[in-house]
Amino acid sequence: MLATEAPLAVFDLQQAGEAQWQALNSFQNRLQAEQWPEDSPRPLTMTIAEFRDRPACLDHQMWVIWDRTGTQIRAAGSLEVFNGSHNQHLAEFWIQVLPEARRQGYARQLLRPIVAGARAANRRLLLTWTSEAVPAGATFVRGLGGQPGLDEHTNQLELTDL
């Protein structure tokens, strides 16, 4: 399915039902396994809490692209705007696409409402992150003209090894 045929849907964080939350949790766990294969899958309750328990000063919008059956998420994007006194020019976003759905235009399709939301909030700079474990992310952002701002490295310590 080409992205032009894929319906983009708002993921309503307050009104989502059990099936939608299950689909989001499954989607995120698949992507987490790609980036952090040694980590355990996240429980559904953690996914729900992560998205619902946000401070009132943080506006969060999310969009998803479902598969043809409407039961699995193929791609998702999010925009976060902090309405505080600092960084009034900045909004954060992320876009994630399942490996088998990449290079089909889903990321660009998700970018449209993200940019529109940032403009509506009078933000002129979008911030995101990519992982070296998923090189497609950096390739996508560079293709948009994005520039690296900060290189980070993650260390993990397995407590059972101590």
Side-chain angles (χ1 to χ4, degrees):
M1 174 187 312
L2 294 174
T4 55
E5 301 171 27
L8 184 74
V10 171
F11 192 97
D12 188 327
L13 299 168
Q14 300 308 316
Q15 300 298 321
E18 180 78 15
Q20 289 135 337
W21 282 115
Q22 288 281 3
L24 181 61
N25 182 253
S26 177
F27 172 78
Q28 288 200 313
N29 278 329
R30 285 209 43 215
L31 292 166
Q32 176 183 301
E34 179 183 19
Q35 185 175 348
W36 306 102
E38 66 281 352
D39 285 3
S40 300
R42 299 176 64 186
L44 176 61
T45 54
M46 184 181 277
T47 297
I48 294 171
E50 175 189 340
F51 284 99
R52 280 199 174 154
D53 298 341
R54 305 272 174 139
C57 61
L58 185 66
D59 290 335
H60 186 251
Q61 300 173 60
M62 186 171 174
W63 301 268
V64 296
I65 297 175
W66 295 92
D67 69 356
R68 290 177 192 226
T69 67
T71 59
Q72 293 184 327
I73 296 171
R74 296 181 56 77
S78 179
L79 175 69
E80 293 181 343
V81 176
F82 178 70
N83 294 310
S85 59
H86 300 293
N87 295 321
Q88 291 292 306
H89 66 296
L90 178 68
E92 293 188 46
F93 79 101
W94 58 261
I95 294 174
Q96 295 175 301
V97 181
L98 292 177
E100 67 272 14
R102 292 179 186 147
R103 303 201 48 81
Q104 296 180 39
Y106 295 127
R108 284 194 182 270
Q109 187 176 350
L110 287 161
L111 190 60
R112 288 185 199 107
I114 289 169
V115 169
R119 285 183 175 148
N122 294 315
R123 304 304 164 118
R124 67 179 187 278
L125 180 65
L126 287 172
L127 176 70
T128 194
W129 62 270
T130 63
S131 169
E132 64 184 19
V134 186
T139 301
F140 173 70
V141 175
R142 276 193 311 274
L144 295 172
Q147 301 171 3
L150 176 65
D151 268 338
E152 293 183 0
H153 179 78
T154 301
N155 295 305
Q156 290 186 289
L157 175 62
E158 187 65 43
L159 295 180
T160 56
D161 294 342
L162 288 177

